[in-house]
Amino acid sequence: MQDSFVYQMLPTRVVFGRGTSATLPFEADRLGLRRLLVLSTPDQAMLAEQVEQLLGGRAAGAFNGATMHTPIDVTERALEVVKAGRIDGIVAAGGGSTTGLGKAIALRTDLPQIVLPTTYAGSEMTPILGETQGDRKTTQRNSKIQPEVVIYDVDLTLSLPPAMSALSAFNAMAHAVEALYAPDTNPIVTMMAEDGVRAIVDSLPRVLKEPDGPEARASLLYGAWLCACCLGATSMGLHHKLCHTLGGLFDLPHAKTHAIVLPYALAYNAPMVPEVMARLRRAMAADDAVGALLDLGRDCGIPLALCDIGMPYEGIAVAVKQALRNPYDNPRPVEAAALATLLTRAWAGSGI
Ligand code: NAD
């Protein structure tokens, strides 16, 4: 038990369950919103139409141009729609990309946001926004970014393809794992992280077997929500910094990079955090938390090696150099030789 800590409650209202999208008009009225703009990706334009229908006369338009990495030019186009439509609130229906666009608009306008998440990425529970301009990515925290209402509707996740579900769930677990050993962790975050990992490890294999089974989907979404709360409440360590470095250097896919690196980053830190490892073993009902993550990734058909997703072997040395450039809090000091070993194993997918 920690004997001193700081815990900041996040102000988001959460509605969770099956069919909860139906509460959207009520939630909009609670916030006093009359002219809402619905955001989605081009792939989810149909979902945006359904959301507009749900909103009825409160819907004042849709913008279906959300895309990965929240490019600022897309945000600027959406802002023109906001201005022209005299929009007084945002409904983001989709994954982290759509949520990111809603957050970028809120940062610039302070408009209230209602989010209907359809993946397990967890952006909806954080005051964090990553934006890109050209190939430059900047990340910031700001209370304006935190959505006012999140409506988790299990039914909206049933269509997420199994492979994407697995990657997104690993992404969520990475938040909980790093929150457990974060310098600003606390007993509430610790409870959420342990229960989040437990729910995901238990439900993910069932979701992959029966992707439209609502019970396992509900448990997976619940776990992802808890993990997202952990991300919003703490600072991330080696795993997140390394994934950010690798993604930026070699243009690697975000979710796959997270899924591959997580067991290796955890193994790196494991000797310094025995209590965290005990919690993770309990959450995963396994004798070896790192081994359990590697096995789960294999069972879910997740790519197991960075070499399989486009990282060149020569990139290992480049990544080590870059990762050492900006120091940050991590349970185990980040040292060149040990980091090179970690990356060589993750590159080859050779296990620990
Ligand atoms: P995404 O939002 O990019 O979605 C990927 C694709 O899946 C899109 O084409 C989308 O239309 C489709 N899709 C989403 N839900 C679906 C569903 N239920 N059924 C069918 N198709 C569906 O992917 P993501 O992994 O949710 O989000 C990734 C982005 O979120 C990254 O840019 C990442 O940096 C960001 N992110 C931000 C935070 C934060 O706190 N700021 C946290 C996590 C992730």
Side-chain angles (χ1 to χ4, degrees):
M1 153 71 196
Q2 266 180 276
D3 49 12
S4 72
F5 57 86
V6 174
Y7 179 63
Q8 170 82 49
M9 291 258 242
L10 293 169
T12 303
R13 172 179 164 92
V14 171
V15 181
F16 188 99
R18 285 201 72 184
T20 45
S21 300
T23 65
L24 178 59
F26 169 76
E27 293 299 333
D29 290 346
R30 249 190 89 255
L31 293 171
L33 304 177
R34 299 218 169 351
R35 297 187 58 78
L36 289 131
L37 178 68
V38 180
L39 306 176
S40 76
T41 60
D43 290 347
Q44 289 182 298
M46 243 172 57
L47 171 64
E49 248 175 60
Q50 288 161 11
V51 170
E52 277 189 279
Q53 277 166 19
L54 268 174
L55 285 169
R58 304 167 192 84
F63 180 87
N64 302 332
T67 184
M68 284 285 271
H69 308 309
T70 329
I72 286 179
D73 58 323
V74 173
T75 302
E76 281 167 355
R77 277 198 283 127
L79 282 168
E80 282 166 22
V81 179
V82 166
K83 205 169 160 199
R86 291 175 291 111
I87 298 300
D88 64 4
I90 302 292
V91 179
S97 297
T98 307
T99 306
L101 175 60
K103 288 172 153 185
I105 295 172
L107 176 68
R108 291 160 174 84
T109 58
D110 214 5
L111 286 178
Q113 309 165 67
I114 303 177
V115 184
L116 298 164
T118 63
T119 71
Y120 308 112
S123 173
E124 65 280 354
M125 291 307 297
T126 81
I128 306 165
L129 171 65
E131 296 183 289
T132 50
Q133 189 151 37
D135 55 8
R136 236 186 104 237
K137 181 165 181 173
T138 50
T139 301
Q140 60 183 303
R141 273 181 188 254
N142 186 313
S143 57
K144 282 188 199 170
I145 293 170
Q146 180 90 29
E148 277 69 9
V149 177
V150 177
I151 302 176
Y152 284 106
D153 184 343
V154 176
D155 294 347
L156 298 185
T157 64
L158 301 180
S159 57
L160 190 66
M164 275 174 65
S165 299
L167 286 172
S168 194
F170 261 76
N171 199 185
M173 273 196 292
H175 307 151
V177 165
E178 292 233 294
L180 281 170
Y181 54 62
D184 45 2
T185 198
N186 59 61
I188 304 292
V189 161
T190 300
M191 276 195 297
M192 290 194 288
E194 185 176 334
D195 211 32
V197 171
R198 179 178 297 115
I200 290 178
V201 169
D202 171 63
S203 56
L204 181 56
R206 289 188 285 134
V207 163
L208 296 190
K209 249 188 227 150
E210 195 193 348
D212 51 4
E215 203 192 304
R217 282 285 189 182
S219 175
L220 189 50
L221 189 59
Y222 168 73
W225 167 50
L226 294 180
C227 294
C229 295
C230 297
L231 173 68
T234 56
S235 333
M236 298 285 106
L238 174 68
H239 169 78
H240 279 77
K241 306 285 186 217
L242 206 49
C243 290
H244 192 251
T245 302
L246 294 172
L249 280 174
F250 312 112
D251 199 22
L252 304 185
H254 169 88
K256 286 182 181 167
T257 311
H258 271 271
I260 294 170
V261 171
L262 182 61
Y264 296 94
L266 179 61
Y268 184 97
N269 282 329
M272 308 302 281
V273 288
E275 275 180 34
V276 167
M277 298 312 289
R279 272 188 190 279
L280 288 172
R281 283 196 295 276
R282 200 161 60 204
M284 295 179 191
D287 296 335
D288 167 14
V290 171
L293 278 178
L294 286 166
D295 289 348
L296 184 61
R298 195 173 308 113
D299 295 348
C300 294
I302 281 173
L304 298 174
L306 292 172
C307 66
D308 291 339
I309 60 164
M311 179 172 166
Y313 181 75
E314 311 75 58
I316 295 172
V318 182
V320 169
K321 221 170 165 188
Q322 174 95 358
L324 290 172
R325 211 164 272 167
N326 302 315
Y328 47 85
D329 264 317
N330 190 63
R332 177 173 165 192
V334 183
E335 288 155 358
L339 194 54
T341 306
L342 179 168
L343 277 175
T344 306
R345 288 175 178 163
W347 182 84
S350 59
I352 309 303

